Amino acid sequence: MYALLVVSVINLSVGTSSTITEKYYEELIRQRTAEAESYNLPTTNNEFKPGVQSNTTHDYGSYDFVIVGAGSAGSVLATRLSETDSYKILLLEAGGEEDDFSQIPSMFHHLFFTKMNWGYFSTPQTTCCLGMKNRACAVPRGKVLGGSSAINAIMYVRGNRYDFDEWVELGNPGWSYEEVLPYFIKSENSQVDGDPGYHGKTGFWNVAYSSPASPFLSKFFNASLKMNQPVVDYNRRQQIGSGRLQFTIKRGKRQSTGKAFLDNARQRSNLEVKSNVLVTKVIIDKSKVAKGVEFVTKHKKFFVKAKKEVIVSAGVVNSPQLLMLSGIGPKDHLKALKIDVIEDLPVGMNLREHALFPGLVYNTNYTLSNRSTEEFVKEYLKGLGPYTRGAGADAIGFIHTGQGNRAPTIEYLFVPPTEIKSKIISKAFNYNDDLTNNFLNKLDPQRSILIYLALLHPKSRGRITLKSNDPLDFPYVNLNMFSEQEDIDAVIEGIEFIRNLFETDTFKKIDARLLEIPVCKELKKQYREYWECVIRHMTLTIYHPHGTTAMGPDKKTSVVDSDLNVHGIQKLRVVDAGVFPSSPSGHLNAPAVMVAEKIADIIKKIYRFS
Ligand SMILES: Cc1cc2nc3c(=O)[nH]c(=O)nc-3n(C[C@H](O)[C@H](O)[C@H](O)COP(=O)(O)OP(=O)(O)OC[C@H]3O[C@@H](n4cnc5c(N)ncnc54)[C@H](O)[C@@H]3O)c2cc1C
Ligand SMILES: *[C@@H]1O[C@H](CO)[C@@H](O)[C@H](O)[C@H]1NC(C)=O
Ligand SMILES: *[C@@H]1O[C@H](CO)[C@@H](O)[C@H](O)[C@H]1NC(C)=O
Ligand SMILES: *[C@@H]1O[C@H](CO)[C@@H](O)[C@H](O)[C@H]1NC(C)=O
Ligand SMILES: *[C@@H]1O[C@H](CO)[C@@H](O)[C@H](O)[C@H]1NC(C)=O
């Protein structure tokens, strides 16, 4: 009776309230996209300034666990640990809340230019990012509840079974594919027609297709088959092939770990979530035991005690920064910055990135109709349409180039005409005027197909270092992509594969033609030199840094052990994508969540009697 009444009331108001909602979203998108276009990123953490310099440290009490960072891993850890009523947990996050705009998947490039992004850029590069302003690639990192999962491109790509088996081969027991698969499944609430046995249907995290599929998708699969690439669920045991992309979305809206996990736990009385807080130091005593952390918020400085553990989940750039500021890192580097060395470890080293080459654009004579923001909003509110796609991609594929490696080496992302008109992409890529005007501005949202190629197992290594001992300074991010020639060779093989794919009669029938690349024209007659030059100019990253606090058995080459305890320090763990000891053949969000799920179980076991 009551339920019937509610339904009829909703029905009565449906006409007017849905129009109000549509108008609200149209205005929100108009205003926030304009703001992003003129937004200047910060270059320091000075918003926290007076607090950092404050002379009094206030006492913030004590908790069992203090978790630094509510990102992909931190949100999941806090959610799982707070399932145990007796643990008292404090989750500290530098950013604030997500909002209706950041929930729209297709706005992901715009989110780079909001306060939800820390705003890092790489240092000026010599082997990559040559076509970017200042030769610097953007290094976006989420600064918001949900962390990078709240600003990412929502693709759900776990990686290959061999990747995790390799973690064990590198000396990290417990991380084999058979052992981690249950944790991928535990998190997931899959809505896709994936392979049986590989997907969860009862987890917190919704995974779905963006619908409807682009009319170009069937053409892409058709051409893939002609290239001997079967159409697969790439999140299963056999990854090679092409597949429709699985997204972390729910009814078309972004499912960050903040929304999917933390929102289920925030009301628990044993969990305190504190946002707009910059953690500046882990306090470690003389016997090398982590005691708690110092943080600043609202211009005041605090110390909070951790009775059981401090868990650093500040991400691949900020976790190394925080460890180094706390005296854990390469001895010589810390000494040079007048930081007392507590433990000499290769923190910040071994930075790996999945380089992303966006240089293959094909224009076809198959043109989508010209549609308006109003139509996209109407569809979005039904959970459908181009606004529900992150970065515009609809499909993904994996190939194996080179020899010896068992996992795929190159990923390709298929971006059909996005329909959405926007200029933000050149700001997001940080391309110089030549590449902006003569390449990106030539993309036609109604008929251009864009292919992104990602290098899955880079040999090149970059590094995170401190600029100074001041937590208000941004750290340096030296990407150093393509410092190893093998990495160039793998991308060239990927380019050859895609060019052959577009030579199939499937694409010939719609007159697919490669858009001219404006750089390196003088080298056009020398095939390899030409593509190498193009790759070094145009390649950005897929925003997948990892490995800067890698796990392993040896203190010389790793920072944490296989349970993610910092070597040589007690009661201190690092749990985020920095701990990956080798590169997943996929994206990083799902593995970061998997790592947190697994460590939460390990921690619960250790403290089961206390
Ligand atoms: C633009 C972009 C697109 C991406 N696209 C995809 C994709 O489509 N699919 C995919 O799988 N992966 C994608 N990734 C990668 C993936 O999202 C990240 O690898 C993953 O979210 C990393 O999780 P994390 O827990 O390591 O760190 P994060 O999620 O970055 O969390 C770190 C958290 O710590 C907080 N923090 C840092 N320092 C401090 C401090 N000193 N005090 C307090 N809080 C602090 C940060 O604000 C942040 O919330 C993308 C990433 C980005 C940035
Ligand atoms: C801290 O103390 C120093 C020296 O006494 C003083 O110069 C400074 O202004 C103080 N800072 C604040 C924020 O009170
Ligand atoms: C691919 O497309 C062609 C027409 O373009 C069609 O004849 C063929 O059957 C398709 N193949 C598959 C496997 O869908
Ligand atoms: C699409 O429509 C907009 C107005 O809604 C117009 O400004 C634009 O020129 C049109 N583009 C094409 C290619 O027809
Ligand atoms: C597209 O190009 C193909 C191949 O050149 C041609 O057969 C077809 O008629 C063209 N279609 C349109 C709509 O122009």
Side-chain angles (χ1 to χ4, degrees):
M1 193 59 199
Y2 176 70
L4 271 177
L5 193 75
V6 173
V7 168
S8 60
V9 169
I10 288 170
N11 274 344
L12 275 179
S13 59
V14 105
T16 40
S17 76
S18 72
T19 335
I20 292 167
T21 314
E22 282 162 24
K23 290 284 166 240
Y24 162 76
Y25 270 95
E26 285 163 24
E27 179 56 21
L28 180 75
I29 289 164
R30 197 196 55 73
Q31 197 183 326
R32 297 286 298 279
T33 53
E35 270 170 34
E37 274 158 26
S38 61
Y39 185 85
N40 290 317
L41 288 164
T43 53
T44 66
N45 293 321
N46 276 350
E47 60 173 296
F48 292 99
K49 189 167 188 173
V52 172
Q53 289 164 349
S54 145
N55 294 328
T56 23
T57 303
H58 303 268
D59 181 11
Y60 204 77
S62 76
Y63 293 75
D64 291 301
F65 296 97
V66 174
I67 303 171
V68 182
S72 296
S75 294
V76 173
L77 264 180
T79 303
R80 293 304 186 190
L81 291 181
S82 61
E83 288 169 350
T84 300
D85 295 339
S86 59
Y87 301 160
K88 200 178 157 202
I89 298 153
L90 178 64
L91 176 61
L92 297 171
E93 167 55 45
E97 302 282 339
E98 293 176 70
D99 59 30
D100 290 336
F101 183 72
S102 69
Q103 293 267 282
I104 308 173
S106 68
M107 298 302 155
F108 117 97
H109 277 136
H110 289 93
L111 301 182
F112 293 19
F113 305 102
T114 64
K115 61 180 180 359
M116 295 183 192
N117 177 14
W118 284 84
Y120 301 133
F121 283 86
S122 74
T123 53
Q125 298 291 294
T126 55
T127 54
C128 61
C129 313
L130 303 184
M132 282 64 169
K133 287 180 185 150
N134 197 28
R135 292 186 167 196
C137 276
V139 183
R141 298 275 85 202
K143 186 186 183 187
V144 51
L145 290 161
S148 295
S149 77
I151 66 163
N152 77 5
I154 61 162
M155 299 174 198
Y156 183 78
V157 192
R158 294 174 181 172
N160 193 274
R161 53 186 294 216
Y162 293 120
D163 302 333
F164 303 104
D165 290 345
E166 190 184 1
W167 293 11
V168 177
E169 284 161 26
L170 292 168
N172 302 289
W175 296 96
S176 70
Y177 183 69
E178 294 306 329
E179 289 162 295
V180 302
L181 180 60
Y183 288 104
F184 282 114
I185 291 175
K186 180 182 186 182
S187 309
E188 193 186 18
N189 182 16
S190 178
Q191 314 288 317
V192 307
D193 52 349
D195 283 15
Y198 292 89
H199 293 278
K201 302 273 182 192
T202 56
F204 283 132
W205 210 11
N206 218 74
V207 175
Y209 295 132
S210 158
S211 294
S214 157
F216 285 84
L217 185 68
S218 58
K219 297 183 200 303
F220 170 70
F221 286 154
N222 185 314
S224 292
L225 287 171
K226 287 176 182 150
M227 296 290 293
N228 296 320
Q229 287 287 87
V231 177
V232 299
D233 167 12
Y234 57 85
N235 281 322
R236 59 162 188 173
R237 196 168 291 262
Q238 168 56 30
Q239 194 188 2
I240 305 272
S242 295
R244 189 167 175 190
L245 261 169
Q246 303 169 22
F247 291 120
T248 46
I249 52 175
K250 188 173 185 179
R251 288 187 283 278
K253 290 189 174 157
R254 174 191 293 280
Q255 280 264 284
S256 72
T257 56
K259 289 282 164 213
F261 291 83
L262 199 55
D263 276 1
N264 296 293
R266 282 175 81 173
Q267 72 292 349
R268 291 177 190 156
S269 58
N270 63 334
L271 171 64
E272 181 180 341
V273 181
K274 201 168 170 58
S275 51
N276 301 303
V277 162
L278 183 74
V279 176
T280 51
K281 196 173 185 179
V282 181
I283 304 297
I284 298 162
D285 71 9
K286 287 207 177 62
S287 45
K288 299 198 182 182
V289 181
K291 288 290 168 194
V293 305
E294 266 178 18
F295 66 86
V296 294
T297 186
K298 295 190 179 140
H299 311 318
K300 279 186 177 168
K301 192 193 248 172
F302 294 90
F303 170 76
V304 61
K305 186 176 169 202
K307 284 186 279 187
K308 291 188 168 66
E309 293 189 10
V310 172
I311 303 173
V312 177
S313 298
V316 175
V317 177
N318 289 38
S319 287
Q321 179 192 30
L322 183 61
L323 291 181
M324 289 190 278
L325 288 171
S326 311
I328 301 167
K331 188 174 64 193
D332 296 341
H333 179 50
L334 300 192
K335 276 187 181 158
L337 297 174
K338 300 190 166 61
I339 295 171
D340 292 337
V341 182
I342 294 177
E343 192 70 20
D344 179 19
L345 291 172
V347 173
M349 293 182 173
N350 300 309
L351 168 65
R352 299 154 186 252
E353 239 312 354
H354 286 152
L356 189 78
F357 177 66
L360 300 176
V361 169
Y362 289 88
N363 282 326
T364 71
N365 67 4
Y366 185 95
T367 307
L368 299 181
S369 62
N370 189 8
R371 302 196 297 148
S372 62
T373 304
E374 290 74 17
E375 277 177 81
F376 297 145
V377 166
K378 277 204 179 79
E379 286 185 5
Y380 173 67
L381 293 172
K382 294 181 192 136
L384 303 169
Y387 279 3
T388 67
R389 256 183 244 148
D394 211 3
I396 193 169
F398 299 89
I399 50 169
H400 188 287
T401 65
Q403 305 122 17
N405 203 333
R406 298 166 297 182
T409 47
I410 291 285
E411 169 186 310
Y412 47 93
L413 286 165
F414 178 74
V415 183
T418 55
E419 300 190 63
I420 302 161
K421 295 163 197 69
S422 164
K423 290 224 174 291
I424 204 75
I425 190 169
S426 60
K427 195 171 173 185
F429 285 15
N430 201 35
Y431 270 177
N432 63 26
D433 291 346
D434 182 23
L435 280 172
T436 296
N437 298 330
N438 300 318
F439 188 74
L440 291 180
N441 288 352
K442 300 232 154 104
L443 262 71
D444 180 338
Q446 270 126 293
R447 64 189 194 99
S448 299
I449 297 170
L450 170 63
I451 301 292
Y452 289 113
L453 287 176
L455 175 70
L456 295 172
H457 298 279
K459 297 283 180 298
S460 309
R461 299 283 179 268
R463 187 171 169 190
I464 311 284
T465 50
L466 294 179
K467 184 177 175 191
S468 76
N469 60 12
D470 183 349
L472 296 178
D473 275 337
F474 278 6
Y476 290 127
V477 181
N478 179 9
L479 290 170
N480 203 30
M481 296 187 295
F482 301 118
S483 52
E484 299 289 336
Q485 190 67 29
E486 274 173 88
D487 293 346
I488 292 279
D489 297 343
V491 177
I492 292 179
E493 284 193 54
I495 290 171
E496 278 165 8
F497 170 82
I498 294 298
R499 295 182 78 201
N500 289 331
L501 183 89
F502 278 84
E503 288 296 322
T504 56
D505 55 356
T506 316
F507 283 115
K508 283 285 160 217
K509 274 186 190 141
I510 52 170
D511 201 29
R513 282 166 201 260
L514 187 65
L515 181 70
E516 195 183 340
I517 291 171
V519 291
C520 307
K521 280 181 181 160
E522 68 286 358
L523 291 168
K524 243 181 167 159
K525 292 208 170 68
Q526 297 136 274
Y527 182 81
R528 291 197 84 79
E529 287 80 354
Y530 169 70
W531 283 110
E532 174 168 346
C533 173
V534 168
I535 291 166
R536 292 193 193 279
H537 277 79
M538 295 182 79
T539 303
L540 35 140
T541 82
I542 192 169
Y543 318 118
H544 288 181
H546 53 286
T548 53
T549 51
M551 67 167 109
D554 182 355
K555 288 174 74 161
K556 286 205 182 61
T557 52
S558 66
V559 174
V560 296
D561 68 16
S562 60
D563 285 347
L564 311 190
N565 301 294
V566 174
H567 290 307
I569 310 286
Q570 285 172 56
K571 294 178 158 188
L572 180 62
R573 267 179 240 262
V574 180
V575 184
D576 58 33
V579 305
F580 301 172
S582 65
S583 303
S585 319
H587 294 214
L588 303 194
N589 203 19
V593 167
M594 174 278 286
V595 164
E597 289 275 21
K598 187 165 154 51
I599 288 299
D601 266 8
I602 289 174
I603 291 175
K604 283 175 172 176
K605 217 174 251 172
I606 294 172
Y607 299 100
R608 67 189 176 285
F609 301 122
S610 57

